[in-house]
């Protein structure tokens, strides 16, 4: 369980995130929706250690990750994608995915410095695993292409592969289908369902209600930094407070 | 033939020495640290080796080892405060470091000879030794590129926050890059001392910093070939004609402005990207064609 308790982030006088408590269970897809500027991305930044909390605590399983640096949080089993994609644009798809394996990229320092056989074997293993993952996502054709030249939808997929490469217990997806057509989105939905079935907990941030409703057991609604509703998608979307927030009431 | 080799030996030696300094600079830039400390670290190495040889009569091998350790040790210490700075602030702090090394060398006259320099260093490093050191450095940089270290340095340089969320320990990797850079700078500083009979504190000051930086920026900061190409051009070019040599710093300045404006990735990286783009643009051969 990924557990947020009374999490706040105040920037100057602005309460970007204010007293948010939510649970992200393993094996489920939990939705987080809300109008633009509600603080959804800030919550992901707080969980992944990219930004310090003003107050509150975050636990991953039994581990307190409230003040842990970002790389430790990754090693504790948490990965994310970025809303504004952050790929290495000039590097190939396979190299972008390979850096996702960093957590498993191990060899002794002298071996790494001199590229001794153990380091070469590690590189070969990771390259194979990255290639297998790219094939699984139906992108073999693009493995040698620079990531920056791919279509929006394909770049999103590379980001998801890179996040999955660390084999995370929890995955935070910040608007993963933005800019995709329905066919691409459906293909991703199937992948997300499979990841949840493998036992991973997923936090899905999205604008597309239909997409969220079709995937999530539980949806939280954020507005002005505060949670204003939570429950089954069908109930939440009927909630007058939620409708008011989306219509700017 | 023999005449030709003798005539060009000083140029080859100069190239091999500066190639080492260029790679010391390249390693930190590759890891995303905007450090210009290489000149100061080389100065520390050169004076460590020089003083050991002149004042204590130490064996050159000992001097080289001590200089390498001193360079990497100083770099590691320097990496601690620099880990809190980014970008242009790192550049300014490291320029200050180079200045401090220069001032200390002037001030510690009884040990370093001050402004008069350190003289009568036995000349023990010939072209062969320089070539071995340069090739060793080239191999290290080339090998590292292909392992977890190269992958992590690459990610840090391009997007530090992204690298951190993928589990890369930024501080540790940058400290390692610093230590390696300091070791290489210290080593080649020692070789410079054992090659040139004398050391002068001004040799490792601001103009040297600019020269080293020019090699990497002209050649390219990403590919391993970059510093090699940059150093070769900037060392050989001034030797083609006397007026060029007299205005070496002017040439470096003009070259830097031109490269930064028209070829910001440097020669090697631009060529590699152009070549890759061409390869990808070529249509795939249809089945059955040879």
């Amino acid at each position: 369980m990924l557990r947020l308790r009374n999490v706040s982030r105040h920037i100057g006088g602005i309460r970007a995130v204010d007293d948010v408590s939510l649970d992200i269970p393993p094996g489920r897809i939990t939705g987080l929706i809300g109008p633009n500027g509600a603080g959804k991305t800030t919550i992901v930044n707080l969980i992944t250690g990219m930004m310090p909390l003003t107050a509150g605590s975050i636990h991953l399983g039994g581990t307190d990750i409230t003040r842990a640096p970002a790389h430790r949080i990754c090693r504790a089993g948490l990965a994310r994608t970025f809303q504004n994609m952050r790929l290495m644009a000039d590097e190939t798809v396979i190299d972008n995915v390979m850096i996702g394996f960093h957590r498993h990229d191990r060899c002794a320092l002298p071996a790494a410095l001199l590229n001794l056989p153990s380091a070469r074997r590690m590189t070969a293993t990771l390259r194979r695993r990255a290639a297998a993952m790219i094939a699984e996502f139906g992108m073999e054709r693009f493995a040698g292409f620079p990531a920056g030249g791919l279509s929006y939808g394909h770049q999103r997929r590379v980001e998801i592969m890179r996040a999955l490469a660390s084999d995370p217990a929890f995955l935070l997806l910040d608007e993963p289908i933005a800019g995709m057509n329905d066919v691409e989105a459906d293909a991703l939905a199937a992948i997300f369902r499979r990841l949840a079935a493998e036992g991973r907990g997923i936090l899905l941030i999205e604008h597309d209600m239909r997409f969220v409703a079709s995937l999530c057991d539980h949806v939280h609604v954020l507005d002005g930094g505060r949670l204003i509703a939570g429950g089954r998608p069908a109930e939440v979307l009927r909630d007058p407070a939620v409708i008011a927030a989306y219509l700017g009431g | 033939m023999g005449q030709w080799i003798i005539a060009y030996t000083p140029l080859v030696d100069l190239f091999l020495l500066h190639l080492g300094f260029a790679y010391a600079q390249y390693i930190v830039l590759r890891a995303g640290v905007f450090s210009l400390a290489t000149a100061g670290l080389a100065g520390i190495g050169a004076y460590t080796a020089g003083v050991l040889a002149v004042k204590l009569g130490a064996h050159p091998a000992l001097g080289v080892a001590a200089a390498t350790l001193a360079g990497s040790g100083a770099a590691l210490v320097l990496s601690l405060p620099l880990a809190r700075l980014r970008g242009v602030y790192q550049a300014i702090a490291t320029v200050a470091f180079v200045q401090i090394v220069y001032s200390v060398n002037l001030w510690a006259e009884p040990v370093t000879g001050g402004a008069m320099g350190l003289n009568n260093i036995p000349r023990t490093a010939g072209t062969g030794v320089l070539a071995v050191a340069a090739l060793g450095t080239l191999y290290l940089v080339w090998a590292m590129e292909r392992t977890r270290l190269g992958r992590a340095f690459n990610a840090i340089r391009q997007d530090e926050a992204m690298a951190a969320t993928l589990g890369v320990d930024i501080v540790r990797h940058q400290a390692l890059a610093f230590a390696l850079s300091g070791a290489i700078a210290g080593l080649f500083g020692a070789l410079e001392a054992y090659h040139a009979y004398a050391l002068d504190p001004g040799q490792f000051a601001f103009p040297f910093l600019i020269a080293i930086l020019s090699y990497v920026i002209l050649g390219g900061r990403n590919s391993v070939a970059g510093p090699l190409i940059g150093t070769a051009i900037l060392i050989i070019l001034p030797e083609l004609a006397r007026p060029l040599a007299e205005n070496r710093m002017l040439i470096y300045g003009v070259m830097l402005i031109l490269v930064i404006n028209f070829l910001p990735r440097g020669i090697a990286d631009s060529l590699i990207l152009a070549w890759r783009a061409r390869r990808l643009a070529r249509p795939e051969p249809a089945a059955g064609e040879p």
Side-chain angles (χ1 to χ4, degrees):
Chain A
M1 188 77 92
L2 178 61
R3 204 182 289 269
L4 278 69
R5 282 294 169 270
N6 310 106
V7 169
S8 293
R9 165 73 186 177
H10 298 170
I11 305 162
I14 299 162
R15 300 181 166 196
V17 171
D18 196 23
D19 201 28
V20 167
S21 297
L22 59 88
D23 290 338
I24 299 155
R28 295 268 172 82
I29 304 177
T30 305
L32 181 62
I33 61 172
N36 281 325
K40 304 184 295 292
T41 297
T42 308
I43 287 184
V44 175
N45 286 342
L46 291 172
I47 298 173
T48 51
M50 294 179 73
M51 207 184 249
L53 283 69
T54 310
S57 68
I58 303 173
H59 285 80
L60 181 68
T63 321
D64 183 352
I65 56 164
T66 311
R67 300 202 191 288
H71 67 270
R72 288 257 170 72
I73 294 174
C74 167
R75 287 175 203 177
L78 207 142
R80 71 170 292 177
T81 64
F82 295 90
Q83 183 188 351
N84 50 337
M85 284 173 288
R86 297 175 89 152
L87 294 173
M88 300 186 284
D90 287 338
E91 311 228 359
T92 60
V93 167
I94 195 160
D95 284 340
N96 268 283
V97 175
M98 272 177 83
I99 186 64
F101 284 99
H102 182 79
R103 202 179 142 199
H104 312 292
D105 196 354
R106 313 208 147 272
C107 65
L109 184 62
L113 284 173
L114 299 172
N115 199 17
L116 300 181
S118 67
R120 286 175 206 199
R121 277 196 301 273
M122 192 74 216
T123 303
T125 305
L126 292 186
R127 191 163 283 280
R128 257 200 318 276
R129 287 175 67 181
M133 185 180 264
I134 291 168
E136 207 180 312
F137 274 72
M139 283 185 61
E140 302 98 314
R141 236 167 67 68
F142 300 103
F145 271 63
L150 298 178
S151 75
Y152 217 61
H154 281 130
Q155 289 196 33
R156 292 244 172 245
R157 257 188 265 182
V158 176
E159 269 234 333
I160 293 165
M161 286 189 271
R162 188 179 65 184
L164 278 177
S166 72
D167 192 19
F170 290 90
L171 186 59
L172 314 180
L173 302 165
D174 197 351
E175 303 201 11
I177 62 159
M180 284 193 182
N181 62 37
D182 286 355
V183 178
E184 290 175 317
D186 288 346
L188 272 190
I191 289 167
F192 297 159
R193 280 201 191 90
R194 199 194 71 217
L195 294 174
E198 287 171 6
R200 298 180 213 269
I202 298 179
L203 180 69
L204 175 67
I205 294 181
E206 250 319 322
H207 274 301
D208 187 330
M209 293 297 181
R210 192 188 61 86
F211 190 73
V212 173
S214 72
L215 273 177
C216 301
D217 314 305
H218 201 94
V219 176
H220 299 275
V221 186
L222 198 68
D223 184 35
R226 299 185 70 96
L227 287 178
I228 57 165
R232 295 183 155 281
E235 297 160 15
V236 166
L237 295 179
R238 277 199 304 270
D239 190 320
V242 175
I243 295 166
Y246 266 90
L247 296 179
Chain B
M1 185 68 188
Q3 203 99 47
W4 187 88
I5 290 173
I6 291 165
Y8 283 97
T9 297
L11 190 61
V12 170
D13 290 356
L14 186 70
F15 167 70
L16 292 172
L17 277 170
H18 283 233
L19 192 61
F21 297 128
Y23 278 110
Q25 179 65 57
Y26 163 85
I27 286 180
V28 277
L29 291 180
R30 242 188 83 75
V33 190
F34 196 4
S35 162
L36 306 175
T38 311
L41 297 167
I44 289 175
Y47 271 90
T48 303
V51 167
L52 279 176
V54 172
K55 309 276 172 177
L56 303 173
H59 189 273
L62 184 69
V64 166
T68 308
L69 277 178
S72 72
L76 260 183
V77 172
L78 189 61
S79 79
L80 298 176
L82 281 185
R84 306 181 146 269
L85 304 174
R86 288 293 172 270
V88 71
Y89 298 100
Q90 286 180 330
I92 293 168
T94 47
V95 169
F97 167 77
V98 173
Q99 204 60 35
I100 290 168
V101 172
Y102 173 63
S103 304
V104 168
N105 278 341
L106 280 181
W107 169 79
E109 196 174 333
V111 184
T112 63
M116 300 293 291
L118 192 64
N119 300 302
N120 301 319
I121 305 171
R123 188 175 202 268
T124 40
T127 308
V129 174
L130 299 184
V132 168
L135 281 175
T137 303
L138 202 56
Y139 176 74
L140 179 81
V141 174
W142 177 88
M144 205 169 56
E145 160 101 7
R146 275 148 188 75
T147 67
R148 67 177 167 89
L149 295 174
R151 291 190 277 276
F153 289 157
N154 235 345
I156 295 172
R157 189 188 66 251
Q158 298 188 42
D159 187 340
E160 208 179 291
M162 170 208 81
T165 62
L166 295 173
V168 181
D169 187 337
I170 313 273
V171 174
R172 248 177 74 180
H173 277 92
Q174 292 193 333
L176 176 68
F178 243 111
L180 284 171
S181 166
I184 294 171
L187 165 67
F188 281 84
L191 295 177
E192 168 108 52
Y194 292 152
H195 180 263
Y197 301 106
L199 290 174
D200 167 79
Q203 208 178 325
F204 302 102
F206 197 72
F208 186 50
L209 177 160
I210 296 297
I212 297 173
L213 193 60
S214 309
Y215 304 146
V216 183
I217 289 179
L218 174 68
R221 282 152 291 171
N222 292 350
S223 73
V224 174
L228 187 72
I229 293 172
T231 309
I233 292 175
L234 287 177
I235 291 291
I236 293 167
L237 197 66
E239 301 305 323
L240 294 179
R242 206 63 236 161
L244 291 180
E246 280 163 7
N247 299 302
R248 191 183 281 265
M249 289 318 289
L250 183 72
I251 293 171
Y252 286 10
V254 171
M255 191 82 92
L256 270 185
I257 292 170
L258 290 177
V259 167
I260 288 168
N261 273 297
F262 299 109
L263 209 63
R265 292 171 196 273
I267 293 172
D269 295 344
S270 301
L271 284 176
I272 287 170
L273 282 176
W275 173 76
R276 206 170 58 180
R278 249 187 62 183
R279 193 174 47 116
L280 287 174
R282 206 180 311 154
E284 285 169 40
E289 270 182 344

